[in-house]
């Protein structure tokens, strides 16, 4: 059936449409209702329920929550129960871990006022607050298309059609998507949002900003031996198992019920096509100072997600006629602190305040210029500006010198100046890979199934589920280029950077064949960032598909 023959879509009108029920989208929805209880707000979420696609550390700076729900500490249902008690930072070598004294850290790195917990759970709790205020939340519906009016302004989104078979034919269950239209649409899709990417290109929102930068974050949740649990302990590390030219590091957070969140972030500007972030994460857990934490424990959950790392200089223009970007769709993570939740909530609230003013003045579908003009002088801008050089310095000078220079620059910024000005991020992440011939394959260690695991048993713990008979949602634009470049020049890095074993090159008599196991995809978006030719585009699969994280 051609698109002209498709049945018309039903359309619903709202004051504000919000795409994504993460901390930014939910904070925007709640703030809008706090400002004007009569506004009609809808939130669409591609996960089967709120929180199902949320993955974070998470040590949360309460600055955002304090503004949005000031009495959250007294709310027995709020899932943030563990305050940070001890904060450690290590430089790792293969067999040692050198503790760096916290007095060397600038005060902005202090974590003692922060809380440890599952961001997925926090989002479920926030969704309850939003619904109690009258916000309509539709989980299980992916926003698949941006709708424009005849002047080119965004007028809303359409959810994806359901019931399309792999070959494009319509199954008996075929249902047309819905049009959700609003005076303003806020895009809160998180890192590398699929509609956000289209908006950035259409409105040239990145014309004056540095390229966006990303890392891939892999995470496991463990329940460990109570004798080893130190509630409130958080530790971060850099160094081994990554080499000096590969940025990244680990986090390990002890929180409620003998739980430990352990994770590993690899900056996606790495250059070795043989590097496998998943295998480096597994290797990290075998370090003598780390493995003992998990001996006798049980791994409960696994997942992965891209994290934005561009910071202040990579934030694109946030506004365009009819809508705005909020949260990590635009990229507001404070990289040295590995914290973005407070800024996601901060930008959600800031945008909401400007939307409420605009609607109050009978405006609609125009550009919220005041939001764009406000963020740099807001708490979010003030949080990101002093740390803007940390990531570029790491990238330019390698981890050892970069960490020292980054720390020095943060201290200078704390005192009100910088010797480095504002450093550039240089290239987009997909352009940093070297040809495979410049490197040697990195042998992966065999997982023991107790401390270290393979991809497939890990994906099993993410409860990932997709309708199998649907079009592949990982679109390879040019299959020939994938063979001549991704395979022949770069030795198939997708097989290694994908944390879910989605991509495989199967060597056959007729030549290598690219296999895409789309049903395993955990929606981390790494392939959309790191394919060396920008030849892979992640689009939302049928709503509700993807991981079903219980508490990531
Ligand atoms: C490994 C890792 C560790 C981190 N650790 C910390 C930490 O300790 N502390 C901290 O403060 N921050 C941390 N962060 C960063 C933090 O998680 C993000 O800054 C924050 O989640 C951004 O919130 P958001 O609402 O912008 O996006 P997200 O949290 O990504 O939420 C986006 C939501 O939108 C939905 N969505 C996306 N596209 C669509 C669509 N087209 N249609 C419908 N729904 C859609 C998604 O399913 C998701 O639910 C970490 C991130 C990672 C990856
Ligand atoms: S296919 Fe892409 S988005 Fe899906 S898990 Fe793999 S790298 Fe992530």
């Amino acid at each position: 059936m051609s698109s002209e023959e498709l049945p018309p879509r039903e359309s619903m009108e709202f004051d504000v449409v919000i795409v994504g029920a993460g901390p930014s989208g939910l904070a925007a929805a709640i703030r809008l209702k706090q400002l004007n209880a009569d506004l009609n707000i809808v939130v669409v979420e591609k996960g089967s329920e709120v929180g199902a696609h949320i993955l974070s550390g998470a040590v949360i700076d309460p600055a955002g929550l304090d503004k949005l729900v000031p009495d959250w500490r007294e709310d027995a249902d709020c899932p943030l129960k563990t305050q940070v008690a001890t904060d450690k930072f290590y430089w790792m070598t293969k067999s040692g871990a050198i503790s760096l004294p916290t007095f060397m850290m600038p005060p902005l790195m202090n974590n003692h006022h922060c809380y440890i917990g599952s961001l997925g759970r926090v989002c479920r709790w926030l969704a309850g607050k939003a619904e109690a205020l009258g916000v309509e939340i539709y989980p299980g519906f992916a926003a698949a298309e941006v709708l424009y009016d005849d002047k080119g302004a965004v007028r809303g989104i359409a959810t994806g059609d359901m019931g399309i078979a792999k070959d494009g034919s319509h199954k008996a269950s075929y249902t047309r998507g819905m049009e959700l239209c609003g005076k303003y649409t806020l895009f809160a899709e998180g890192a590398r949002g699929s509609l956000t990417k289209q908006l950035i290109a259409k409105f040239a929102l990145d014309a004056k900003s540095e390229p966006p930068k990303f890392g891939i974050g892999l995470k496991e949740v463990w329940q460990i031996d109570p004798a080893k649990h130190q509630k409130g302990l958080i530790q971060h590390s850099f160094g081994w198992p990554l080499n000096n030219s590969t940025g990244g590091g680990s986090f390990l957070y002890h929180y409620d019920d003998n739980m430990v969140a352990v994770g590993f972030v690899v900056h996606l500007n790495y250059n070795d096509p043989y590097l496998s972030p998943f295998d480096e994460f597994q290797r990290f857990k075998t370090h003598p100072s780390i493995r003992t934490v998990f001996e006798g424990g049980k791994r409960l959950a696994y997942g992965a997600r891209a994290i934005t790392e561009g910071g202040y200089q990579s934030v694109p223009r946030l506004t365009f006629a009819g809508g705005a970007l909020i949260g990590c769709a635009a990229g507001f993570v404070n990289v040295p602190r590995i914290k973005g939740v407070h800024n996601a909530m901060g930008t959600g609230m800031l945008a909401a305040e400007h939307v409420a003013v605009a609607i109050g003045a009978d405006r609609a579908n125009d550009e919220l210029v005041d939001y764009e003009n406000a963020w740099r002088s807001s708490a979010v801008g003030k949080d990101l500006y002093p740390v803007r050089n940390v990531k570029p310095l790491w990238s330019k000078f390698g981890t050892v010198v970069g960490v020292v220079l980054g720390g020095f620059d943060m201290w200078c910024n704390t005192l009100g100046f910088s010797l480095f000005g504002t450093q550039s991020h240089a290239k987009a992440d997909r352009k940093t890979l070297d040809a495979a011939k410049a490197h040697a394959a990195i042998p992966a260690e065999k997982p023991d199934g107790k401390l270290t695991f393979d991809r497939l048993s890990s994906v099993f713990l993410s409860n990932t589920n997709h309708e199998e008979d649907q079009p592949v949602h990982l679109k390879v634009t040019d299959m020939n280029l994938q063979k001549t470049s991704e395979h022949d020049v770069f030795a198939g890095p997708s097989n290694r950077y994908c944390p879910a074993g989605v991509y495989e090159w199967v060597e056959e008599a007729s030549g290598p064949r690219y296999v895409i196991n789309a049903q395993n995809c955990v929606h981390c978006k790494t392939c959309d960032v790191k394919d060396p030719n920008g030849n892979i585009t992640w689009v939302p699969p049928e709503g509700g598909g993807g991981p079903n994280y219980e508490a990531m």
Side-chain angles (χ1 to χ4, degrees):
M1 216 186 259
S2 75
S3 60
E4 291 85 64
E5 294 167 323
L6 292 172
R9 285 189 282 228
E10 270 185 52
S11 179
M12 290 170 78
E13 291 288 334
F14 296 88
D15 290 307
V16 186
V17 177
I18 298 174
V19 179
S24 60
L26 292 168
I30 292 171
R31 179 57 108 222
L32 280 162
K33 280 293 200 181
Q34 289 170 338
L35 292 168
N36 182 349
D38 294 333
L39 291 176
N40 291 320
I41 319 286
V42 67
V43 181
V44 279
E45 167 53 53
K46 68 180 166 65
S48 61
E49 58 171 326
V50 172
H53 289 185
I54 298 289
L55 184 145
S56 193
V59 170
I60 296 176
D61 182 333
L65 269 179
D66 286 343
K67 278 191 199 148
L68 187 70
V69 189
D71 62 352
W72 65 271
R73 288 177 182 78
E74 286 82 59
D75 184 335
D77 295 331
C78 177
L80 283 182
K81 303 285 183 211
T82 305
Q83 190 167 354
V84 173
T86 315
D87 188 359
K88 304 252 185 204
F89 195 36
Y90 294 97
W91 163 249
M92 307 289 267
T93 61
K94 191 169 182 188
S95 53
I98 300 155
S99 176
L100 303 179
T102 41
F103 70 80
M104 284 171 64
M105 305 284 174
L108 62 85
M109 293 291 284
N110 186 358
N111 284 312
H112 281 93
H113 61 301
C114 298
Y115 287 77
I116 315 168
S118 149
L119 183 60
R121 285 196 177 149
V122 171
C123 287
R124 283 192 192 108
W125 169 76
L126 283 175
K129 297 257 171 226
E131 283 175 330
L133 291 167
V135 174
E136 289 179 49
I137 302 181
Y138 296 152
F141 290 93
E145 190 184 328
V146 182
L147 302 173
Y148 299 94
D149 67 16
D150 48 16
K151 293 196 200 98
V154 171
R155 65 178 179 88
I157 57 95
T159 61
D161 295 355
M162 311 278 263
I164 301 180
K166 214 176 200 112
D167 62 5
S169 63
H170 292 177
K171 299 187 272 188
S173 58
Y174 177 75
T175 324
R176 194 87 167 97
M178 294 269 298
E179 293 196 355
L180 304 177
C181 302
K183 293 173 181 156
Y184 295 98
T185 305
L186 299 179
F187 293 84
E189 295 179 288
R192 200 59 164 194
S194 47
L195 297 184
T196 303
K197 194 175 148 188
Q198 294 173 21
L199 290 162
I200 290 174
K202 181 175 170 76
F203 293 104
L205 301 176
D206 57 353
K208 294 191 180 146
S209 54
E210 288 276 313
K213 303 297 282 181
F214 298 92
I216 175 175
L218 305 110
K219 175 179 167 182
E220 294 175 351
V221 177
W222 284 70
Q223 194 150 38
I224 65 161
D225 177 353
K228 296 176 183 171
H229 194 257
Q230 298 179 58
K231 193 170 175 180
L233 167 67
I234 64 169
Q235 56 186 72
H236 296 102
S237 75
F238 59 91
W240 188 89
L242 299 180
N243 64 23
N244 192 45
S245 60
T246 307
S250 75
F251 60 87
L252 206 141
Y253 305 148
H254 292 239
Y255 61 116
D256 335 343
D257 302 327
N258 301 317
M259 307 285 246
V260 169
V262 57
F264 204 79
V265 175
V266 176
H267 299 181
L268 284 176
N269 58 355
Y270 67 82
N271 54 23
D272 182 348
Y274 288 110
L275 184 86
S276 160
F278 177 89
D279 292 327
E280 296 310 318
F281 175 32
Q282 297 306 316
R283 210 187 308 274
F284 163 74
K285 287 185 291 170
T286 66
H287 190 275
S289 71
I290 302 296
R291 67 179 315 137
T292 49
V293 176
F294 298 106
E295 275 162 5
K298 183 169 186 234
R299 188 174 74 144
L300 303 178
Y302 165 83
R305 180 77 172 97
I307 178 169
T308 61
E309 294 185 340
Y312 194 82
Q313 53 272 57
S314 291
V315 173
R317 186 176 178 83
L318 299 177
T319 56
F320 40 85
L325 309 180
I326 57 177
C328 277
F332 288 106
V333 170
N334 180 319
V335 176
R337 297 182 69 206
I338 333 181
K339 284 185 187 56
V341 174
H342 60 304
N343 288 340
M345 296 179 77
T347 50
M349 286 185 274
L350 190 62
E353 283 151 20
H354 289 283
V355 169
V357 169
I359 292 178
D362 276 337
R363 286 167 45 198
N365 304 102
D366 59 359
E367 185 167 352
L368 298 159
V369 182
D370 292 345
Y371 165 51
E372 163 65 21
N373 291 338
W375 85 263
R376 284 178 203 272
S377 54
S378 74
V380 175
K382 288 180 185 149
D383 184 65
L384 292 188
Y385 189 73
V387 302
R388 68 197 178 285
N389 289 326
V390 173
K391 159 87 180 174
L393 289 169
W394 280 27
S395 306
K396 203 177 272 181
F397 294 100
T399 308
V400 178
V401 176
V403 165
V404 174
L405 290 178
F408 171 72
D409 192 56
M410 284 193 287
W411 268 112
C412 293
N413 274 283
T414 305
L415 302 171
F417 69 99
S418 170
L419 299 181
F420 295 104
T422 296
Q423 291 283 301
S424 166
H425 286 299
K427 294 188 223 172
D429 292 327
R430 73 175 178 81
K431 296 185 177 164
T432 62
L433 274 185
D434 297 333
K437 65 181 182 205
H439 296 267
I442 305 170
E445 275 147 46
K446 201 170 163 351
D448 64 10
K450 290 185 189 140
L451 176 68
T452 57
F453 303 90
D454 63 15
R455 280 176 172 78
L456 291 188
S457 61
S458 300
V459 174
F460 179 75
L461 286 187
S462 69
N463 301 313
T464 296
N465 186 36
H466 288 95
E467 164 60 50
E468 295 239 349
D469 187 15
Q470 66 169 306
V472 171
H473 69 280
L474 304 147
K475 307 285 181 199
V476 180
T477 311
D478 180 345
M479 223 14 130
N480 187 44
L481 179 64
Q482 209 61 8
K483 152 78 178 68
T484 55
S485 177
E486 212 263 353
H487 177 275
D488 294 356
V489 177
F490 296 102
S494 53
N495 176 250
R496 292 175 287 278
Y497 64 59
C498 174
V502 169
Y503 299 102
E504 285 174 88
W505 281 103
V506 179
E507 301 296 333
E508 292 177 344
S510 54
R513 185 167 57 90
Y514 202 42
V515 176
I516 303 177
N517 304 300
Q519 70 279 6
N520 284 357
C521 174
V522 295
H523 296 201
C524 74
K525 314 277 181 81
T526 301
C527 49
D528 196 290
V529 173
K530 192 61 180 170
D531 179 80
N533 301 295
N535 198 23
I536 300 179
T537 303
W538 186 99
V539 300
E542 244 182 40
N548 280 291
Y549 298 136
E550 202 269 308
M552 292 294 253

